[in-house]
Amino acid sequence: MVGGGQLARMTQQAAIALGVPLRVLSDSAHASAAKVIADVRIGDHRSLDDLRAFAKGADVVTWDHEHVPGEHIQALEADGVACRPGSGALLHAQDKRVMRERLTALGAPCPEFVVLDPEAPLATLESFAERTGWPVVLKATRGGYDGKGVWGCASLEEARAVVERAAAEGVGLLAEQHVPFRRELAALVARSPYGQGAAYPIVETVQTDGICTEVIAPAPGLDSDRAEEAQRLALGLADALGVTGLLAVELFETEDGVLVNELAMRPHNSGHWTIEGSRTSQFEQHLRAVLDLPLGDTTPTAPYTVMANVLGGDEPEIYKRYIHVMAHDPAVKVHFYGKEVRPGRKIGHVTALGDDLEETRERARHAADYLRKGPTV
Amino acid sequence: MVGGGQLARMTQQAAIALGVPLRVLSDSAHASAAKVIADVRIGDHRSLDDLRAFAKGADVVTWDHEHVPGEHIQALEADGVACRPGSGALLHAQDKRVMRERLTALGAPCPEFVVLDPEAPLATLESFAERTGWPVVLKATRGGYDGKGVWGCASLEEARAVVERAAAEGVGLLAEQHVPFRRELAALVARSPYGQGAAYPIVETVQTDGICTEVIAPAPGLDSDRAEEAQRLALGLADALGVTGLLAVELFETEDGVLVNELAMRPHNSGHWTIEGSRTSQFEQHLRAVLDLPLGDTTPTAPYTVMANVLGGDEPEIYKRYIHVMAHDPAVKVHFYGKEVRPGRKIGHVTALGDDLEETRERARHAADYLRKGPTV
């Protein structure tokens, strides 16, 4: 697995059970996954030489993130390396323009969008906004600047600053209508090279200040027809795009149905609940899929599972907060990523399972809040 | 954790979630746990120098097996190392004579036994057998010979060979009555230095040719009073012996109640079912206990959980058998220990969960049998 983040770290737990030797390519020996894996290669995922040395002897190469250049993946494929997902599929999680155009061609429901003409970006934007109204969401087709790739703009004036900066940085932009959604959902599916597919229940994802803070499985009160529609959509996209491994489809739920927001082809934050909440965790499922093994059962293990992300607070030492959290609720499951605490950084998550939705949410929230903030008066 | 076996390997899965850096002392870089842990020290658990170097900087030292010499543990304790369980408790899992004498003094129900007088072993044995009748079970108080430490003897003649060989090897013996048990049970509890205790449901363990092949949780049809009696017995022993970490008590169920067979102070084969079958796995619980964290919830996650050990067969390559097992039953959970296959060796286990006992047993057995034997005509 290329990348040493928490997704590789949690994949190691599944690899241990399956008896699958997991190697990671990490940019640091102190990365989240590098701390818990025996076979760590230190290198740069943007270096083809490093990728080639890393891939040597591996049965399958997969990804903990989308940042490996597509041409390097193609070069590995030309070398005969089994890259899963492959460059052709992964491109749709790397380039938002390619994704939007392909999904539109496939008839998948998307927000309205336009690719800004680099020769006349503001003119394209202005005529788009005349049709959709403001606000408009600007997205970098790849990457971004200042660590950001998405900007909500209330007016042409706000958009101008983004457009000018993007042009200066050589960042391509597309504009999307601001979708008046009820809530955000996510569909997680797996597909193997053999073509087998498996879908998890549709979940609700709750964002706070642009960060996913909570995932509720299954999405409460979701109409069963709409849930099935979202599962079919994700399975269909996995098939059409030739995904091998996991595909996470972030969705907006509107009055009329669902719209695709983003794609990811790896274990996803919206699937962390599956570690305890499903018979097969997303990490095991990803390994089974990329290794072309039969996929695992996705049946939930409890009526409700709630996952809450733990964000870093002001206190760097959070281990001592375990005592309160574990004593308060012996059934909550704590996951720490071995990352240095920085305010607002995702450093772990907690999972609660139960029969009662509100109680289960409250348990997960309490644990995550306490781990972030400690005792509050 | 001292020892690089599968117990340390599975402890790593729990350590990853808790964010607890796990170091192992392993005699080989190819041992089960050494393959999946970043911080592996190669050394000999019988060498005090190796143990001291290993323990340096560790917050707590714990054990994957009982083979560390007690005097070395005492030396570590004298150095100020937090050994959990400590030498005083662990002695009862290392020396069967000490265990039997202490349990008898505590009033814990045990089979009748006698320590064979090294001056006149056969005379002691003969007078013991006059009281209990044959067969008699001879046990090495520590270690044994030819890789064995327990011998069932149908007659004085059979016993003579064992007694003579043991005397030649300098192995102390005790004799125990052969208990006409209904079945074997196991009680698994945890105790923290703070004194908190937690008990798992009592399980039935099924032995085939002296090897544990199947564990059923909870023990089917066990009277609830007797189950509670067994849990209380194990919690009481953990307290009386000052155990920190897990205590597994192997029990015989007779017509009249339960008798203690063996003790282990570490994660135990009879507790592997807890990985999926309990809200807190025994591996997480052991870490929480030795780190003096509040203990986790032991509530079962399904009405029945059946664990079947996977023994090595004639075919060294078992990975390709995954395809059948996973396709046949997408919900069965496979655990491989990364060990070379040798006939009869425990190389992994499988776990099935369900509402129906017989169906769940059949699913676990089928998977374990297939992984061992492959397709059979």
Side-chain angles (χ1 to χ4, degrees):
Chain A
M1 185 172 259
V2 175
Q6 65 260 30
L7 302 178
R9 181 184 174 98
M10 291 185 271
T11 301
Q12 166 74 339
Q13 294 177 291
I16 289 173
L18 294 179
V20 170
L22 181 65
R23 175 187 301 169
V24 293
L25 180 67
S26 174
D27 57 8
S28 153
H30 306 291
S32 179
K35 290 178 176 175
V36 300
I37 288 177
D39 189 1
V40 177
R41 310 290 167 100
I42 304 298
D44 187 340
H45 61 267
R46 295 161 303 187
S47 153
L48 181 56
D49 285 346
D50 287 359
L51 289 164
R52 280 193 162 129
F54 169 74
K56 207 169 173 185
D59 293 302
V60 171
V61 172
T62 187
W63 328 100
D64 150 287
H65 56 67
E66 292 86 15
H67 308 311
V68 179
E71 61 271 24
H72 290 354
I73 304 177
Q74 287 171 358
L76 293 176
E77 287 168 337
D79 293 346
V81 176
C83 295
R84 295 182 187 156
S87 58
L90 197 63
L91 181 58
H92 301 88
Q94 295 180 307
D95 187 310
K96 292 189 207 302
R97 175 183 180 161
V98 172
M99 185 270 275
R100 280 284 172 242
E101 289 177 345
R102 183 73 189 280
L103 262 58
T104 303
L106 290 169
C110 289
E112 288 206 55
F113 75 97
V114 70
V115 178
L116 298 197
D117 177 355
E119 301 301 313
L122 287 172
T124 339
L125 180 57
E126 207 168 359
S127 85
F128 177 74
E130 263 167 36
R131 200 153 38 92
T132 65
W134 293 93
V136 160
V137 180
L138 291 178
K139 292 182 173 179
T141 54
R142 285 171 173 249
Y145 62 81
D146 287 351
K148 262 180 94 173
V150 177
W151 302 266
C153 299
S155 65
L156 189 65
E157 216 39 52
E158 269 186 50
R160 186 189 305 274
V162 176
V163 167
E164 285 172 0
R165 178 75 187 276
E169 306 272 349
V171 170
L173 290 179
L174 57 80
E176 290 184 2
Q177 69 171 133
H178 175 81
V179 176
F181 58 82
R182 270 192 204 159
R183 58 177 172 176
E184 294 186 61
L185 304 174
L188 184 66
V189 299
R191 183 176 172 276
S192 70
Y194 182 79
Q196 193 193 358
Y200 286 94
I202 303 300
V203 300
E204 177 176 346
T205 63
V206 180
Q207 326 281 324
T208 312
D209 302 329
I211 297 174
C212 170
T213 48
E214 196 176 285
V215 173
I216 306 165
L222 183 65
D223 178 83
S224 67
D225 285 349
R226 188 162 288 183
E228 207 183 303
E229 172 200 333
Q231 286 180 318
R232 277 181 200 281
L233 170 65
L235 286 167
L237 286 178
D239 210 43
L241 303 179
V243 176
T244 45
L246 291 174
L247 172 68
V249 184
E250 296 179 35
L251 298 162
F252 295 125
E253 186 185 17
T254 68
E255 296 303 315
D256 310 316
V258 295
L259 298 176
V260 176
N261 180 21
E262 303 280 356
L263 302 183
M265 295 179 195
R266 50 167 170 75
H268 192 255
N269 196 173
S270 68
H272 291 354
W273 68 276
T274 60
I275 297 175
E276 294 89 5
S278 172
R279 192 53 68 220
T280 304
S281 84
Q282 67 165 344
F283 301 98
E284 178 182 339
Q285 196 75 299
H286 187 68
L287 287 175
R288 289 168 77 144
V290 301
L291 295 168
D292 209 7
L293 290 167
L295 300 180
D297 182 23
T298 57
T299 304
T301 62
Y304 285 105
T305 303
V306 178
M307 189 283 318
N309 280 322
V310 177
L311 304 179
D314 297 325
E315 165 64 43
E317 178 46 55
I318 33 79
Y319 180 79
K320 61 189 177 191
R321 293 181 182 158
Y322 272 24
I323 293 173
H324 168 83
V325 166
M326 291 179 174
H328 181 78
D329 185 350
V332 79
K333 304 318 293 180
V334 173
H335 296 260
F336 265 83
Y337 304 156
K339 290 169 137 182
E340 212 179 294
V341 174
R342 283 204 295 265
R345 184 188 205 188
K346 276 185 207 165
I347 54 168
H349 74 266
V350 295
T351 306
L353 298 96
D355 299 327
D356 181 85
L357 173 61
E358 281 317 312
E359 188 193 309
T360 308
R361 282 186 87 164
E362 178 48 35
R363 289 170 50 215
R365 280 178 190 172
H366 174 83
D369 280 354
Y370 193 94
L371 289 167
R372 181 179 191 176
K373 297 175 196 157
T376 45
V377 196
Chain B
M1 184 172 259
V2 176
Q6 65 261 30
L7 303 178
R9 181 184 174 97
M10 290 185 272
T11 301
Q12 166 73 339
Q13 295 177 291
I16 289 173
L18 294 179
V20 170
L22 182 64
R23 176 187 299 169
V24 293
L25 180 67
S26 174
D27 57 8
S28 153
H30 306 291
S32 180
K35 290 178 175 173
V36 299
I37 288 177
D39 188 1
V40 178
R41 310 291 167 98
I42 304 299
D44 187 340
H45 61 268
R46 296 160 303 186
S47 153
L48 181 55
D49 286 346
D50 286 359
L51 289 165
R52 281 193 162 131
F54 169 73
K56 206 167 173 185
D59 293 300
V60 171
V61 172
T62 187
W63 328 100
D64 152 285
H65 58 65
E66 292 85 17
H67 308 311
V68 179
E71 62 271 24
H72 289 355
I73 304 178
Q74 286 170 359
L76 292 176
E77 288 167 336
D79 292 347
V81 175
C83 295
R84 295 181 186 158
S87 57
L90 197 62
L91 181 59
H92 301 88
Q94 295 180 307
D95 187 310
K96 294 189 204 302
R97 175 184 180 161
V98 171
M99 184 269 275
R100 281 283 174 244
E101 291 177 344
R102 183 73 189 280
L103 262 57
T104 304
L106 289 168
C110 288
E112 287 206 55
F113 75 98
V114 69
V115 178
L116 297 198
D117 177 356
E119 302 301 314
L122 287 172
T124 339
L125 180 57
E126 207 169 0
S127 82
F128 177 73
E130 264 168 35
R131 198 150 42 87
T132 65
W134 293 93
V136 160
V137 180
L138 291 178
K139 291 183 173 179
T141 53
R142 284 170 172 252
Y145 62 81
D146 287 351
K148 262 181 92 174
V150 177
W151 301 267
C153 300
S155 66
L156 189 64
E157 217 38 54
E158 270 186 49
R160 186 189 305 276
V162 175
V163 168
E164 285 172 359
R165 177 76 187 277
E169 306 273 349
V171 169
L173 290 178
L174 56 81
E176 291 184 0
Q177 69 171 133
H178 175 83
V179 175
F181 58 82
R182 273 191 201 160
R183 59 177 171 173
E184 295 186 63
L185 303 174
L188 183 66
V189 298
R191 182 177 173 276
S192 69
Y194 182 79
Q196 193 192 359
Y200 285 95
I202 303 300
V203 300
E204 177 175 345
T205 63
V206 180
Q207 326 281 324
T208 312
D209 303 329
I211 295 175
C212 171
T213 47
E214 196 175 285
V215 173
I216 306 164
L222 183 65
D223 178 84
S224 67
D225 285 350
R226 188 164 287 183
E228 207 183 304
E229 173 201 334
Q231 286 180 317
R232 277 180 200 281
L233 170 64
L235 286 167
L237 287 176
D239 210 43
L241 303 179
V243 176
T244 46
L246 290 175
L247 171 68
V249 184
E250 296 179 35
L251 298 162
F252 295 126
E253 186 186 17
T254 69
E255 297 303 316
D256 311 317
V258 295
L259 299 176
V260 175
N261 181 22
E262 304 280 358
L263 301 184
M265 295 180 195
R266 50 169 171 74
H268 192 255
N269 197 173
S270 68
H272 291 354
W273 69 274
T274 59
I275 297 175
E276 293 89 5
S278 172
R279 192 53 66 219
T280 305
S281 84
Q282 67 166 345
F283 301 98
E284 179 182 341
Q285 196 75 299
H286 186 68
L287 286 176
R288 289 168 76 144
V290 302
L291 295 168
D292 208 8
L293 291 168
L295 300 179
D297 183 22
T298 57
T299 303
T301 62
Y304 285 105
T305 304
V306 178
M307 188 281 321
N309 280 322
V310 177
L311 305 178
D314 296 326
E315 166 64 43
E317 178 47 54
I318 32 80
Y319 180 78
K320 60 189 177 191
R321 293 181 182 158
Y322 272 24
I323 293 172
H324 167 83
V325 167
M326 291 178 174
H328 181 78
D329 185 349
V332 78
K333 303 319 292 180
V334 173
H335 295 260
F336 266 83
Y337 304 156
K339 290 168 137 181
E340 213 180 293
V341 174
R342 284 203 295 264
R345 184 187 207 191
K346 276 184 207 167
I347 54 168
H349 74 265
V350 295
T351 306
L353 298 96
D355 298 328
D356 181 85
L357 174 60
E358 281 317 312
E359 188 194 308
T360 309
R361 281 186 87 163
E362 178 48 35
R363 289 171 50 214
R365 278 178 191 170
H366 173 83
D369 280 355
Y370 192 94
L371 289 167
R372 180 180 191 174
K373 297 174 195 157
T376 46
V377 197

